[in-house]
Amino acid sequence: MAVISKKKIVYPISDNLRKYLIKYGREVDIPIHYKELLRFTNSIALYDFKGNDTLWETVFYDESDRSEIHYKVKKIYALLKADGDMSVMQHLYVDRIDLCTYGNTQPFRVRIVNRINDNFDYFYIKNADASRVYGLGLEHLLSPNRIGYLVYRNTLIEEHIAGIPGEQFMKQQLYDPLLNPIRLSKEFVKFNERCFVRLLGDMHSSNFVIDVTPDFEETHYRIRSIDFDQQSYEGKKTIYLPQFFKQNNALIQLGIKHITQESMNQYQKEERALIATRLKSSPKEITDILNSMEKDVLSKESNIESLKNELAKHYKNADFLRCKNMGAILRMSLNQLIHK
């Protein structure tokens, strides 16, 4: 089983990463920064509709600060969702701002509501961690999912990724008679492969969601990462393979029951081919993000040594042993796809 024993180090945004973000339009001057949201005067625990503690706290601001903070938060939403078109703010209001005190970046979650039809959306304001920013960038480039995020100085803005939390799905929906176990198992194999190839770690059931899309004939599933803090950090190969987390056992057992080894090999090859296609479709941006990663410190030396040795053995490729940092290891991992 995969186990992370120590809390990950938070790495600042470097000049190299800042240049990449500016070049590709991810660095935007925002009207309010993370530290300003810490001026709240009170907070209460947030419970779900069943009365369970969500581990989030709803925060409250002085009357003198609240109007200004809510206005600036709405402007951020316009930047994130409408490329800065402030006309979208006309019918929006900030319903709630929540704080997660147990997360690495202690994010704020903002709930935005349209007063005309009560439709709502969320986005997150966080302390910027270089590992997470790289993870978001790689997800946008190498996965089937597009990601909305912005950075300014030490503040990170992220869009909400919709879906059923993996832990909740396994408890409540895994035994639904309408579930298609083969399609879900196939998606878990592909998700497992995506995480391993691009070295995204810690994908246990609390760190991904399952997006369920009914079709005219069948139901489709997409497993999406929602936590990118463990991008290219840990030294153990198993940390980058969701199949080794005990929290995912229900999905793993479903796959063992419903798909064969031959089918699994086929799905792995399909996903690697898709990632290879994405590498070829955005070569300049992927080269730039990897160049930046190779110049940055993103992990401990012991983790780098351990991971490159494990991957050299896994792929039977001694070239991994020449890698000096996590960026170089990731480049080598992706090169496996192109060469094949």
Side-chain angles (χ1 to χ4, degrees):
M1 289 292 115
V3 177
I4 295 176
S5 58
K6 295 182 180 180
K7 191 172 183 179
K8 187 190 104 36
I9 299 169
V10 175
Y11 294 98
I13 304 291
S14 67
D15 291 341
N16 299 310
L17 179 53
R18 189 83 61 191
K19 290 175 184 176
Y20 167 83
L21 295 168
I22 292 171
K23 181 176 181 179
Y24 291 99
R26 298 292 189 174
E27 176 91 2
V28 177
D29 190 355
I30 57 177
I32 190 169
H33 301 163
Y34 177 87
K35 287 186 177 179
E36 294 176 70
L37 293 177
L38 294 172
R39 302 203 311 256
F40 60 89
T41 57
N42 197 9
S43 67
I44 58 172
L46 180 64
Y47 296 90
D48 64 19
F49 69 97
K50 291 185 176 180
N52 300 314
D53 191 346
T54 64
L55 303 181
W56 289 79
E57 298 178 3
T58 299
V59 300
F60 301 94
Y61 298 90
D62 277 340
E63 189 65 33
S64 58
D65 288 334
R66 187 177 62 188
S67 296
E68 179 187 3
I69 288 173
H70 283 199
Y71 177 75
K72 289 180 176 179
V73 162
K74 287 195 297 182
K75 289 182 73 174
I76 289 179
Y77 184 78
L79 287 167
L80 184 65
K81 293 291 188 176
D83 198 26
D85 183 355
M86 298 304 164
S87 66
V88 302
M89 294 171 52
Q90 183 178 357
H91 303 295
L92 301 179
Y93 69 91
V94 178
D95 180 51
R96 204 174 67 222
I97 299 178
D98 306 320
L99 173 65
C100 177
T101 55
Y102 70 88
N104 276 352
T105 51
Q106 296 200 336
F108 286 95
R109 180 179 63 196
V110 181
R111 177 178 160 114
I112 294 278
V113 179
N114 185 321
R115 60 168 45 89
I116 295 176
N117 56 18
D118 290 331
N119 191 37
F120 61 88
D121 195 4
Y122 296 97
F123 70 94
Y124 301 84
I125 302 175
K126 304 180 179 183
N127 270 317
D129 171 24
S131 301
R132 188 174 188 93
V133 174
Y134 279 122
L136 287 162
L138 291 165
E139 179 77 2
H140 183 77
L141 292 168
L142 298 178
S143 83
N145 313 305
R146 303 281 70 82
I147 298 288
Y149 69 96
L150 300 171
V151 179
Y152 186 66
R153 295 182 181 173
N154 296 320
T155 299
L156 170 63
I157 310 298
E158 279 182 47
E159 70 176 4
H160 176 66
I161 299 173
I164 304 169
E167 186 176 25
Q168 178 184 329
F169 187 95
M170 287 182 229
K171 288 180 180 178
Q172 300 178 0
Q173 297 189 248
L174 202 60
Y175 305 103
D176 187 323
L178 298 179
L179 181 87
N180 187 319
I182 296 176
R183 283 180 177 268
L184 180 58
S185 298
K186 174 182 178 180
E187 174 56 21
F188 184 74
V189 170
K190 292 167 78 70
F191 175 68
N192 190 75
E193 203 65 17
R194 283 198 298 274
C195 293
F196 184 53
V197 167
R198 44 80 55 102
L199 299 182
L200 177 61
D202 199 24
M203 282 300 108
H204 57 76
S205 59
S206 296
N207 287 340
F208 62 78
V209 296
I210 300 178
D211 183 10
V212 182
T213 306
D215 199 358
F216 72 97
E217 197 171 22
E218 223 1 303
T219 300
H220 295 270
Y221 304 93
R222 172 72 55 79
I223 301 179
R224 298 191 60 179
S225 309
I226 58 172
D227 191 321
F228 301 92
D229 292 348
Q230 288 280 350
Q231 174 64 52
S232 304
Y233 177 75
E234 293 288 341
K236 294 181 180 179
K237 180 184 74 172
T238 53
I239 298 297
Y240 302 102
L241 287 159
Q243 71 186 68
F244 286 106
F245 284 90
K246 65 180 181 181
Q247 296 94 327
N248 302 337
N249 275 349
L251 286 176
I252 296 164
Q253 293 302 317
L254 194 73
I256 292 172
K257 181 178 179 181
H258 290 281
I259 60 175
T260 65
Q261 182 67 45
E262 292 78 8
S263 295
M264 186 179 74
N265 293 339
Q266 175 195 332
Y267 301 150
Q268 290 173 324
K269 290 177 181 178
E270 287 177 5
E271 191 59 32
R272 284 177 171 262
L274 288 170
I275 298 173
T277 299
R278 295 180 194 117
L279 284 168
K280 294 171 186 175
S281 65
S282 303
K284 179 59 178 172
E285 188 168 355
I286 290 169
T287 296
D288 285 347
I289 197 172
L290 291 175
N291 287 344
S292 179
M293 287 184 76
E294 287 186 347
K295 295 173 184 175
D296 274 356
V297 176
L298 296 173
S299 188
K300 300 182 293 185
E301 285 297 325
S302 58
N303 287 351
I304 295 167
E305 288 297 314
S306 174
L307 184 60
K308 73 181 186 181
N309 278 283
E310 288 198 24
L311 292 182
K313 183 178 179 180
H314 174 84
Y315 287 112
K316 298 181 176 59
N317 184 351
D319 289 344
F320 277 97
L321 301 177
R322 297 202 297 268
C323 295
K324 302 298 183 183
N325 51 62
M326 283 295 185
I329 294 174
L330 176 58
R331 188 190 295 274
M332 189 64 63
S333 177
L334 296 175
N335 282 345
Q336 302 294 307
L337 311 181
I338 300 298
H339 292 160
K340 288 186 178 181

